[in-house]
Amino acid sequence: MGAALALAGAALVGCAPKGISGAQASSAPGCNVDPTLRGTSLTLTSPLTGVEAQRLEASLEAFTTCTGISVVHTGSDMLEEDLRAGRHGDLAIVPQASIISELVSDGRLAALSNQVGANVELGWERTWGEAGTYDGTLYAAPLMASVKSFIWYSPSAFAKAGYKVPTTWAELESLTKRMASAGAAGQGATGATGGPTASASASPGGAATAQASPGASPGASAENPAPWCLPVADGPTSGWTVTDWLEDAILATQGPGAYDAWESHRVPLNDPTAVRALDSVASLVLADGHALGGRAGSSAMTLEAAGAALAEGRCYMVHASSSFETVLPDGGADLDAFLVPSASDDETPVLVGGDYLVSFSDGPGAQALAEYMTSAEWARARAALGGVATANRRVDASSINSRVGRRATEMLQSRQTLIRMDASDGMPPEVGAHTMWTALASWVAGSLDSEGALAQAERAWPTS
């Protein structure tokens, strides 16, 4: 499967994107509305809160200026439940494709306009538009995207300790053990790769599973960093970050063929390939001394806390998407990221995720907002604010200030880049947005082994 993502931006000046005059902003799709709509308001629901919500709201100021329609945004950390219960705005931003399918089947969504369809066709590769099309009708328009296969690190911390960015999975394992050995010894690391291997025992499924105590890495500090920070906590959605680790590990250690079979449920979720991949993650990040705070610390750690620990030098690496910069101090200006390395010489696809815009109203105001938010003008304005990527081909990747964002853009704009969509986002919501998260959170805590966690997720898969 091949597709392209793009990340681009231009700074906001007043209410119009940099390089776009007020007149040009006013001529953007969605701005030519009936004057009687001035003074009205629309509501928009999304899973975005904090800085991400503030940036989204800032990106909509130009729409209000050109139409006179105000947009009231509500961020929810219970988006799926809110959508099902009818607690939503005129429009919504939805990250899980499976929820969109359910809303279409229930007749809840309004078809998007021809102008929205034209915006998508002009800006995005066909794969993205097809994901929001049902029975030939466009109900969900691609809006934002992220590259999930990144491992964030501090180049200065690596250089000081004599570490190099790994280019294979084996090198990543060796580097992790070397970091843990240096941390245990309480001294810097130099010289050849080496160090003790993680202890392991056989899991009930027969695979080797790394053993990690809840108190692992108790003394990690800027002088004695842990190899990894493993953020798991996110309120009612705790555990979703681990699904990204699992999916990247399947791609990297088992290959895209195994991932495709697992993602499409041609094999069960607890297929041996997936169990082996999750065991690989356990050996990497949950063995003694490998994660800041061990299992208990990881279970309580948020993305924000992981970002702070990485920036402060208390851990060397964090697996997180390109949007991780949103929660990093100073936007992660001193940090960089490398792709999860493969266990084979074959090219490994990168894992990506996307957010889609849907509408519950077919009114002219909602239609206008959808047309604006799918335009190149909005894509440029939103990307300029940082923390997101977009596959809109009408934006310029070279204008991105973020080092990781620019690299992600250049890589994903290339049609030569192989991608895979986030598997859990496309699973039935009760699996991919519930049981999988909770099962993997329990796996991190140590109450389930790899086979048991994936078997729990498999049992939640609908039988009809």
Side-chain angles (χ1 to χ4, degrees), residues 335-346:
L335 302 176
D336 204 344
F338 58 89
L339 289 174
V340 173
S342 175
S344 74
D345 294 331
D346 297 329

Side-chain angles (χ1 to χ4, degrees), residues 268-331:
L269 297 181
N270 59 332
D271 183 76
T273 57
V275 173
R276 287 196 295 271
L278 193 54
D279 280 340
S280 296
V281 179
S283 296
L284 194 67
V285 300
L286 289 179
D288 285 340
H290 285 202
L292 181 62
R295 291 183 183 270
S298 297
S299 295
M301 181 177 290
T302 63
L303 275 170
E304 292 81 0
L310 181 65
E312 293 165 6
R314 290 184 284 120
C315 61
Y316 280 114
M317 297 178 287
V318 179
H319 177 274
S321 75
S322 53
S323 62
F324 186 49
E325 66 182 54
T326 302
V327 302
L328 291 172
D330 299 323

Side-chain angles (χ1 to χ4, degrees), residues 92-115:
I93 298 172
V94 182
Q96 281 93 18
S98 57
I99 299 175
I100 297 171
S101 177
E102 181 179 320
L103 294 171
V104 171
S105 298
D106 291 344
R108 304 269 301 280
L109 297 182
L112 298 175
S113 71
N114 291 336
Q115 179 64 62

Side-chain angles (χ1 to χ4, degrees), residues 155-170:
S156 62
F158 266 45
K160 180 179 179 181
Y163 300 139
K164 294 182 179 179
V165 170
T167 59
T168 67
W169 185 271

Side-chain angles (χ1 to χ4, degrees), residues 71-97:
V71 181
V72 180
H73 168 250
T74 300
S76 170
D77 58 5
M78 300 288 288
L79 181 66
E80 179 191 338
E81 288 78 2
D82 288 343
L83 294 178
R84 284 175 165 167
R87 298 187 298 268
H88 53 71
D90 299 301
L91 301 95
I93 298 172
V94 182
Q96 281 93 18

